[in-house]
Amino acid sequence: MSIKKVTQHPTQNEALIFERSQTGRVGYRLPKLDVPETNNILPADLRRDDDLTGVPEVSEVDVVRHFTRISTWNYSIDLGMYPLGSCTMKYNSRLNEKVARIGGFAGLHPLAPEEETQGALELIYHLQNDLCEITGLPGISLQPAAGAQGEMTGVMLIRAFLDQRDGEASKDRRVMLIPESAHGTNPASAAMSGFTVKTIRATADGLTDMEHLRELCNEGGVAGVMFTNPNTCGIFERNIQEICNTIHAAGGLVYMDGANMNALVGVARPGDMGVDVIHLNLHKTFSTPHGGGGPGCGPCLCSAELAPFLPTPRIEKNGDSYKLNYDYPHSIGRVKAFFGNFGMMVRALSYIYTHGAEGLKEATEAAVLNARYVSHELKDTYDKPFESDCMHEAIFSHKNQSKKGVVTLDIAKRLIDYGFHPPTVYFPLVVEGAMLIEPTESVGRADLDAFIEAMKDIDQEAQENPQLVIDAPHTTRIGRLDEATAARKPVLRWRLDMEATAKSA
């Protein structure tokens, strides 16, 4: 087997620190006591008497080398391309991290009074204005802690607006329309806000089926629609204004999932399309790291008529100073403790200021160009389910390779052998065996070509020696896992009797 690896890393496995223990090895020695020794300071029941049984006996260099070796195992954005895209691993410039670590920001206590936090409030105020300009929507709250929370905040705004507008009659307007290709959080947010979900079919070219949308609107009771643009098939909903007009004519409101704003920033504004409310993911579109589970920041932006219902407090400018305004009687209230994840706001504003208006537009254009390059170069090798030009992500299926028994998961695992992190797989659900590849704007031509070459090589392997792909990965410390067992019965800590227990199981 001969493969070209993009990255290099140690291939040896690493024994646990417990398994490296050698009796008598010492990593740290306390200085000799210069006071009389006594056993009376701590109560006996709080002192251990097992002579540290089970604690590994290792030297300092044993510990340093052990953890340094382990630190090289994880694939990271610093090592190579992440075709998962802006969802988790858009490149974040180090400058944004440096700014977020400025002592005055990083050390700011959330209970500090307004007069001592003017700089932070000013930063939030400026970020609010920039995001309003980028989206074309005047109302904003930076309070939601993540995309899903920003999404639910937006749906709660719709519910509050309808309840006030329609009064008692709003109980008959409880249907939220959601395309079948939507993110899974969309129907969850709608259901938690008291709506019933009806699914809109997609057309053969991956767009919202307008005829079906009108049928559902004619059934009545429509509170609104939740859609993503570009949608999760990576295609721009070119009927967006018609979608908005249709929903508005039915008395509903339009919510846009801003997860894919990486393809629109600086080029098109949802507010100009007719969208009423949107959430953004600062932790993807605007640079903040997302991998590892957060923290995130999911600002909710809305039209002027929805603004009175935004969470409080609101950060506002009063003359030359900034204040927290709680005086919004129709507000849905708080959705997050204090004022949101402030560090994410610092990073986002740093990203915006670093790029400027032209730079943001250029980043968007580069992201779309990169996706279209991948789509064009692989269209003769992998099945491309939709003819439309893709936006910030290219989508393929495993249809050409599955004839040989090789499916999407096998291709993803084989990419690891080539030194790449796998792309998003099996999403969106409307494409069987989907591979959703989002290179983002931060991947250069050489890395794109290397990834494309790896995908073509894997296809060739699938045609000539499919078992090689089916059994991948071959070069990792641990081979193909039983993913169901790994997810449902994870082993998260080592125990002294673990090996014996495993053998007897």
Side-chain angles (χ1 to χ4, degrees):
M1 179 174 58
S2 175
I3 62 172
K4 290 166 280 188
K5 294 181 70 67
V6 176
T7 59
Q8 295 182 339
H9 54 80
T11 56
Q12 313 93 304
N13 215 331
E14 180 78 12
L16 298 173
I17 192 74
F18 298 94
E19 296 167 327
R20 291 187 169 279
S21 179
Q22 298 179 58
T23 302
R25 298 278 277 180
V26 176
Y28 182 74
R29 196 184 303 277
L30 293 170
K32 188 176 180 181
L33 280 177
D34 57 359
V35 294
E37 186 171 346
T38 175
N39 292 325
N40 299 325
I41 295 178
L42 294 176
D45 60 333
L46 296 180
R47 299 197 300 265
R48 64 187 303 166
D49 55 6
D50 60 358
D51 198 25
L52 297 177
T53 299
V55 174
E57 296 179 63
V58 286
S59 71
E60 178 177 310
V61 73
D62 290 337
V63 174
V64 170
R65 288 175 178 169
H66 171 71
F67 286 106
T68 299
R69 284 192 292 266
I70 291 177
S71 73
T72 66
W73 288 8
N74 281 344
Y75 192 90
S76 74
I77 196 65
D78 294 334
L79 285 174
M81 173 183 170
Y82 250 91
L84 277 173
S86 60
C87 283
T88 46
M89 281 300 164
K90 179 172 172 171
Y91 175 73
N92 308 291
S93 79
R94 293 297 180 266
L95 175 63
N96 304 338
E97 296 302 309
K98 188 174 182 180
V99 172
R101 284 164 174 73
I102 292 175
F105 291 142
L108 186 60
H109 195 285
L111 290 175
E114 272 183 29
E115 57 271 22
E116 295 179 9
T117 57
Q118 285 294 299
L121 295 178
E122 181 178 1
L123 184 147
I124 296 174
Y125 181 81
H126 285 304
L127 179 59
Q128 288 183 163
N129 289 346
D130 287 347
L131 295 179
C132 288
E133 175 64 26
I134 288 169
T135 60
L137 290 164
I140 183 170
S141 170
L142 293 174
Q143 205 175 100
Q149 195 182 26
E151 172 187 308
M152 186 164 173
T153 301
V155 178
M156 291 169 68
L157 296 186
I158 292 176
R159 171 71 185 266
F161 172 81
L162 294 176
D163 285 350
Q164 185 186 70
R165 186 192 70 180
D166 299 347
E168 185 66 19
S170 78
K171 71 179 189 316
D172 298 323
R173 192 179 285 281
R174 289 286 183 266
V175 175
M176 190 63 72
L177 305 180
I178 301 179
E180 61 182 353
S181 63
H183 291 108
T185 49
N186 291 174
S189 294
M192 291 181 70
S193 300
F195 294 109
T196 300
V197 172
K198 288 187 178 180
T199 303
I200 313 170
R201 291 193 298 267
T203 62
D205 52 359
L207 295 170
T208 297
D209 187 327
M210 289 303 301
E211 185 176 341
H212 191 217
L213 175 66
R214 292 190 191 93
E215 286 177 16
L216 294 173
C217 286
N218 290 336
E219 292 175 3
V222 172
V225 64
M226 299 178 74
F227 72 99
T228 307
N229 200 20
N231 64 29
T232 55
C233 296
I235 302 169
F236 186 81
E237 292 279 2
R238 53 179 177 267
N239 298 319
I240 175 61
Q241 287 193 321
E242 189 179 355
I243 292 173
C244 293
N245 292 339
T246 303
I247 294 296
H248 289 155
L253 296 169
V254 178
Y255 167 85
M256 178 172 151
D257 185 322
N260 291 343
M261 273 295 288
N262 206 45
L264 298 182
V265 173
V267 176
R269 307 197 307 172
D272 298 338
M273 303 173 191
V275 169
D276 298 294
V277 57
I278 184 176
H279 88 268
L280 299 176
N281 292 337
L282 296 191
H283 49 276
K284 52 182 293 189
T285 308
F286 296 93
S287 161
T288 300
H290 187 28
C297 186
C300 182
L301 297 103
C302 63
S303 62
E305 61 183 359
L306 288 175
F309 305 98
L310 283 166
T312 56
R314 308 267 295 275
I315 288 82
E316 297 174 351
K317 188 175 184 182
N318 185 13
D320 294 330
S321 62
Y322 300 86
K323 68 172 186 176
L324 299 167
N325 190 348
Y326 294 81
D327 188 20
Y328 283 91
H330 299 298
S331 168
I332 62 172
R334 277 188 179 277
V335 296
K336 172 79 171 68
F338 301 110
F339 316 109
N341 287 329
F342 178 65
M344 309 304 108
M345 303 174 201
V346 178
R347 291 175 174 89
L349 190 64
S350 175
Y351 178 84
I352 291 171
Y353 281 4
T354 301
H355 283 75
E358 286 303 313
L360 291 174
K361 181 181 178 184
E362 184 180 349
T364 299
E365 292 171 342
V368 175
L369 178 64
N370 280 353
R372 291 188 179 183
Y373 182 68
V374 171
S375 179
H376 176 76
E377 292 296 313
L378 292 179
K379 66 181 173 58
D380 295 329
T381 306
Y382 289 85
D383 173 65
K384 184 182 173 188
F386 307 115
E387 285 301 316
S388 303
D389 286 332
C390 65
M391 295 294 280
H392 69 323
E393 45 201 3
I395 188 167
F396 299 101
S397 82
H398 60 199
K399 188 180 291 184
N400 296 346
Q401 293 71 34
S402 61
K403 298 170 186 172
K404 295 286 186 176
V406 173
V407 296
T408 289
L409 184 64
D410 305 324
I411 297 166
K413 296 295 184 186
R414 185 58 174 155
L415 269 172
I416 297 173
D417 286 334
Y418 281 81
F420 288 101
H421 193 286
T424 300
V425 295
Y426 298 109
F427 183 82
L429 300 178
V430 293
V431 176
E432 182 185 351
M435 289 174 272
L436 197 63
I437 301 166
E438 184 185 351
T440 80
E441 70 279 7
S442 55
V443 180
R445 175 71 177 272
D447 284 345
L448 284 178
D449 286 338
F451 177 79
I452 290 165
E453 186 180 355
M455 289 290 286
K456 289 181 176 179
D457 286 350
I458 293 171
D459 169 66
Q460 187 173 350
E461 292 171 348
Q463 306 305 327
E464 298 175 353
N465 184 12
Q467 200 61 42
L468 177 66
V469 185
I470 292 170
D471 292 339
H474 301 277
T475 60
T476 52
R477 295 170 187 81
I478 299 174
R480 183 84 67 102
L481 294 172
D482 177 340
E483 298 204 0
T485 301
R488 295 173 183 172
K489 298 178 182 178
V491 180
L492 303 178
R493 64 182 291 266
W494 178 84
R495 296 193 310 271
L496 189 61
D497 62 346
M498 180 173 287
E499 190 173 349
T501 302
K503 287 180 179 176
S504 62

